[in-house]
Amino acid sequence: MIGFFMGRSMSQAVATMLVLFVACTSPQLVASKFYPKIDMDNSSSELFEIAHEIEVSSPSHFPKPTWLLNDPDVVVIAEPAIGKHRPEKDVVMAYAEGYSLAYYMCFIETLRGTGFDGDIVLAIANYSLLEKNVLEYLKTQENLVVYIHRLACYESDGVTPSERIWKRGSLDIFQMCHLNDVYGWKDEQGNVIKKAKDPRIGRVVATLRYEWYWIWAQYYNPNVWIMLVDARDSFFQTDP
């Protein structure tokens, strides 16, 4: 911003700042008033064409993630820290660990701005890793479901226990971790009586996140649409 104003007169700088202030505070830019503009009939890219038809492939059959525990009574015991699943609603899911507030706002506000009224489900970093104002913002969002779960991670040797490691300003994407205490056993009243340790080898969060997706999918009806997407580099222009 400083470089932008260099070489301009004071009156020009003030006028420009007023225009920016009006634009950024205009009611038309509030998320609930935002309507994306996109031409669905023409593509401006030479590499891609807009798809007007969707073909749904039949699902593949794989064992449940709990099969390694070798007990049919094992169930999902992880609970969201914020929000509640609505089984009849379409849902957008993302693993969004360790981001600043701006990334969460861009993802959520542009999605809601399209008119999407389904659930948004996120897994974010442990409480101690949350950046400023992130938790407060997420708590204000309607129909947002957030899981805050501590990972059991390791040093580069894959053996020595460690907290999540930061590298160059972001969480280490290659750090190996376990997802403990998301499965377990409940009594007849639904109370958790025992938690299960992760039976798999340690894995990076880019792989581990798909287990979260499976867990969340259990809460939704078979006929709803589920979208899995990266949160940090995504924004929305139309209702997915």
Side-chain angles (χ1 to χ4, degrees):
M1 185 64 74
I2 293 175
F4 178 79
F5 289 124
M6 290 181 64
R8 285 174 162 77
S9 67
M10 181 59 70
S11 59
Q12 289 176 316
V14 171
T16 304
M17 292 179 68
L18 286 173
V19 171
L20 290 173
F21 175 79
V22 171
C24 292
T25 57
S26 171
Q28 284 74 23
L29 295 184
V30 177
S32 60
K33 303 287 186 179
F34 172 67
Y35 299 98
K37 295 181 179 180
I38 183 171
D39 184 354
M40 291 299 293
D41 295 319
N42 299 290
S43 173
S44 59
S45 171
E46 298 180 357
L47 298 178
F48 303 98
E49 291 297 329
I50 296 171
H52 295 281
E53 296 181 358
I54 299 175
E55 180 178 348
V56 180
S57 300
S58 60
S60 300
H61 179 74
F62 293 96
K64 295 180 180 180
T66 55
W67 76 278
L68 286 173
L69 295 169
N70 197 29
D71 188 336
D73 293 328
V74 172
V75 295
V76 173
I77 61 172
E79 297 285 346
I82 299 173
K84 184 178 180 180
H85 296 276
R86 297 179 296 166
E88 76 284 358
K89 290 292 187 178
D90 295 335
V91 56
V92 175
M93 302 176 177
Y95 189 88
E97 181 193 33
Y99 301 154
S100 65
L101 178 60
Y103 286 109
Y104 292 104
M105 292 186 68
C106 180
F107 184 80
I108 295 171
E109 300 291 349
T110 60
L111 178 53
R112 289 302 185 202
T114 67
F116 176 74
D117 64 353
D119 284 355
I120 302 174
V121 185
L122 303 176
I124 64 175
N126 189 31
Y127 287 101
S128 62
L129 299 175
L130 294 179
E131 296 205 16
K132 185 178 180 181
N133 297 324
V134 167
L135 186 61
E136 291 77 9
Y137 167 75
L138 296 177
K139 286 181 176 180
T140 67
Q141 302 303 300
E142 294 184 1
N143 302 323
L144 174 67
V145 183
V146 179
Y147 284 74
I148 304 176
H149 192 85
R150 184 178 181 275
L151 300 177
C153 301
Y154 305 91
E155 299 284 356
S156 57
D157 60 10
V159 177
T160 306
S162 169
E163 296 295 332
R164 290 290 278 125
I165 297 173
W166 291 86
K167 286 188 176 181
R168 294 184 290 276
S170 60
L171 291 172
D172 183 5
I173 62 174
F174 296 111
Q175 187 177 12
M176 305 299 282
C177 301
H178 277 111
L179 187 60
N180 293 326
D181 303 333
V182 294
Y183 306 117
W185 293 262
K186 293 183 178 181
D187 60 21
E188 294 181 354
Q189 288 72 42
N191 301 310
V192 177
I193 56 177
K194 185 180 178 181
K195 297 179 180 180
K197 296 300 182 183
D198 190 339
R200 292 172 177 74
I201 62 172
R203 50 214 184 275
V204 298
V205 295
T207 301
L208 184 147
R209 59 181 172 168
Y210 288 97
E211 194 149 352
W212 275 123
Y213 298 154
W214 181 85
I215 290 171
W216 300 338
Q218 308 311 301
Y219 290 98
Y220 292 90
N221 296 338
N223 62 327
V224 306
W225 287 93
I226 296 177
M227 182 178 188
L228 312 180
V229 63
D230 288 339
R232 181 167 55 178
D233 51 3
S234 299
F235 66 92
F236 297 86
Q237 294 179 286
T238 57
D239 187 336

